[in-house]
Amino acid sequence: MYTILVCDDDRDIVSALDIYLTSEGYRTVKAYDGLEAVKAAEAQPVDLILMDIMMPGLDGIRATAKLREKFNVPIILLTARSEDSDKVLGLNIGADDYITKPFNPIEVIARVKSQLRRYTSLGGKSGTSENTQLLTNGGIVLDDSAKSVTVDGDRVNLTPLEYNILLLLLKNPGRVFSTSQIYELVWNDPSLGSENTVAVHIRHLREKIEIDPANPRYIKVVWGLGYKMEKL
């Protein structure tokens, strides 16, 4: 059974999400501000977090940043705003997805299931592989059976989406992928309006694997076409 941490200062929303999720067989843990969410995640294992952005005290953005220091579970942000700035900021600090309020219960469940499938496939919960598969390029070593990444011998902690992007590019060195192709292959969703989302995640990935993210050695832009993993 997957455990989902639901955090929103609106108790009615938390109760509604609890009903939606438990009806699908998930276990829920409830929190009503960012600090409670961080403490709850530290107190017990959770497999996914639904986090409101606008909360008093420790808001969802700062709470997500704190959670990302220790945990790589999927985080879906809930926002009452439709502005791109909130969405991009959330993705930039480590969130995996966002849902704009008011939300449809069917959409919430679909996005939760999608993120959990990715998380499990990356070994976060129970997905494992009997065959060790090492992908290397320059100083990058990706062990797809252990779901681990090292760069020049140092372990790198990636979110599930960052890992999947790196895996896609490492499996296809030299091949150029458009932002639409990356989004469809990694997010498994239609790519409408995906450019900013992909760019944010690649920028965050570069910050973790590149010595100089502004002058990347590995993930190169092919102007007007997309991104590729440079063969080293």
Side-chain angles (χ1 to χ4, degrees):
M1 179 184 293
Y2 291 105
T3 299
I4 299 177
L5 172 58
V6 180
C7 180
D8 196 303
D9 62 323
D10 187 327
R11 291 177 179 266
D12 290 338
I13 290 178
V14 173
S15 296
L17 288 170
D18 176 57
I19 292 170
Y20 304 153
L21 295 166
T22 54
S23 68
E24 292 290 324
Y26 300 116
R27 175 177 175 268
T28 63
V29 176
K30 305 178 188 66
Y32 302 100
D33 61 48
L35 185 58
E36 282 188 22
V38 172
K39 290 181 177 178
E42 292 173 340
Q44 60 194 301
V46 298
D47 301 299
L48 183 142
I49 299 169
L50 286 167
M51 176 80 70
D52 185 34
I53 288 182
M54 300 300 292
M55 294 184 292
L58 188 66
D59 62 32
I61 296 294
R62 290 184 294 162
T64 296
K66 285 184 174 294
L67 288 163
R68 274 289 172 254
E69 294 174 1
K70 298 182 179 180
F71 307 105
N72 69 342
V73 300
I75 299 176
I76 301 175
L77 294 176
L78 306 173
T79 174
R81 298 181 180 179
S82 59
E83 289 88 345
D84 286 341
S85 57
D86 273 345
K87 300 170 185 176
V88 171
L89 179 59
L91 294 171
N92 196 38
I93 51 86
D96 297 281
D97 201 355
Y98 59 84
I99 300 173
T100 303
K101 299 176 184 177
F103 43 73
N104 185 316
I106 296 174
E107 179 188 8
V108 173
I109 296 302
R111 289 179 181 266
V112 166
K113 288 181 177 179
S114 176
Q115 290 297 330
L116 286 173
R117 279 196 302 270
R118 249 190 304 272
Y119 182 48
T120 300
S121 72
L122 295 177
K125 178 73 172 177
S126 59
T128 59
S129 171
E130 294 180 356
N131 299 318
T132 299
Q133 185 180 8
L134 291 177
L135 297 172
T136 64
N137 187 42
I140 299 175
V141 178
L142 185 151
D143 184 344
D144 198 33
S145 65
K147 308 302 177 188
S148 67
V149 176
T150 60
V151 179
D152 297 329
D154 295 326
R155 180 70 178 263
V156 177
N157 293 318
L158 302 179
T159 67
L161 288 172
E162 291 163 1
Y163 181 96
N164 257 355
I165 293 171
L166 182 61
L167 180 62
L168 173 66
L169 296 177
L170 280 174
K171 281 185 173 180
N172 301 276
R175 176 180 170 183
V176 178
F177 289 90
S178 69
T179 55
S180 295
Q181 288 174 321
I182 293 172
Y183 193 89
E184 289 173 357
L185 290 167
V186 173
W187 275 258
N188 195 30
D189 282 325
S191 62
L192 295 176
S194 63
E195 291 81 4
N196 279 346
T197 300
V198 172
V200 166
H201 280 81
I202 286 182
R203 184 170 69 247
H204 205 55
L205 176 58
R206 279 173 167 166
E207 290 171 355
K208 296 180 179 181
I209 69 170
E210 302 279 5
I211 294 175
D212 182 2
N215 297 285
R217 179 187 180 199
Y218 296 109
I219 301 178
K220 299 282 192 177
V221 172
V222 181
W223 294 108
L225 296 176
Y227 298 91
K228 70 174 182 177
M229 174 61 67
E230 188 77 8
K231 294 181 183 179
L232 298 177

